[in-house]
Amino acid sequence: MNISFLDKTVSFGTPDMPRDGFDVVITDSEPVTRAKVIKILESCNRMAVLSPHPELAFRNFAAQFRPAAAAGCAVFNPQGDVLMIFRRKRWDLPKGHIETGESAADCALRETAEETGLANARLGYHICDTHHAYILDGQWELKCTSWFTASCPDPATPAPQLEEDIEQAAWTPKNMLAERLSDSYPTIREVFARISEKD
């Protein structure tokens, strides 16, 4: 279980989890507060919170944020290219907040249509849920995004939703994916890692 703070990541796991790759490792024998984690992240990029009950530690930490729910899609065409958007100097996947009464799956398809102009995507399987934290209107939010695959059997040219600051919507060939993921977010790289595990 991971939470991203922009380009920094907090992972929750058991004490026997491999510790390589983490700048800081703490245990939940003491309170793991939002303030403490944010302070640690000022000087490191990856930290781990280790607990015999990582799900509980994660829930206790998440309770310190205002929750938000979103959904998005990794849409593939018959050639295996994936639909990506370029917004605020990062490559991303289409996603957005779930509206009242809307399912995560319906939200993922709606946001894909709105942000890329492609309304004929067909939903595939649920990939994973990702979490990222940010400040909105002076309050810390923790957004849980449900990710799905989708297929576009008759792909048209995407059209970016300019009013949402999306500069490009483009099909990304497999040989360009690694480069674009390097200019993306940890949560997006996690989505593609999970897709690779399932394929």
Side-chain angles (χ1 to χ4, degrees):
M1 291 168 289
N2 300 321
I3 296 178
S4 293
F5 291 73
L6 195 56
D7 290 319
K8 298 172 184 266
T9 303
V10 180
S11 298
F12 291 77
T14 57
D16 59 352
M17 183 176 76
R19 301 186 181 199
D20 294 342
F22 294 104
D23 301 313
V24 175
V25 177
I26 63 173
T27 67
D28 70 350
S29 58
E30 55 184 304
V32 181
T33 65
R34 186 181 68 205
K36 178 177 182 176
V37 167
I38 292 169
K39 182 66 176 175
I40 292 172
L41 290 178
E42 289 178 2
S43 57
C44 79
N45 291 321
R46 292 194 68 215
M47 66 173 292
V49 176
L50 304 185
S51 168
H53 309 286
E55 295 87 358
L56 179 59
F58 177 88
R59 288 198 302 271
N60 288 340
F61 185 70
Q64 301 171 51
F65 297 79
R66 181 172 64 187
C73 269
V75 183
F76 294 89
N77 67 17
Q79 290 73 43
D81 306 331
V82 64
L83 182 62
M84 300 189 79
I85 59 174
F86 189 72
R87 172 167 47 192
R88 302 185 185 103
K89 301 182 180 179
R90 302 283 186 114
W91 285 102
D92 204 346
L93 292 172
K95 66 181 182 304
H97 283 91
I98 298 173
E99 297 180 350
T100 302
E102 185 177 43
S103 70
D106 287 343
C107 172
L109 291 177
R110 174 181 57 77
E111 288 289 343
T112 297
E114 290 176 0
E115 294 190 346
T116 70
L118 296 182
N120 61 338
R122 298 176 184 172
L123 199 69
Y125 62 82
H126 175 254
I127 305 165
C128 65
D129 293 339
T130 61
H131 299 84
H132 74 278
Y134 53 90
I135 295 177
L136 181 66
D137 300 328
Q139 285 191 296
W140 277 100
E141 276 196 358
L142 182 62
K143 182 184 288 184
C144 176
T145 303
S146 296
W147 293 100
F148 299 85
T149 60
S151 60
C152 198
D154 185 23
T157 301
Q161 190 179 21
L162 300 177
E163 59 269 28
E164 289 291 324
D165 299 323
I166 300 173
E167 298 176 39
Q168 297 180 56
W171 292 105
T172 299
K174 291 179 181 178
N175 62 359
M176 291 180 60
L177 182 58
E179 178 183 349
R180 289 191 172 173
L181 287 179
S182 70
D183 291 326
S184 188
Y185 299 97
T187 51
I188 302 303
R189 291 191 285 272
E190 182 178 348
V191 168
F192 282 96
R194 296 294 186 89
I195 291 173
S196 295
E197 290 172 3
K198 292 175 184 286
D199 287 348

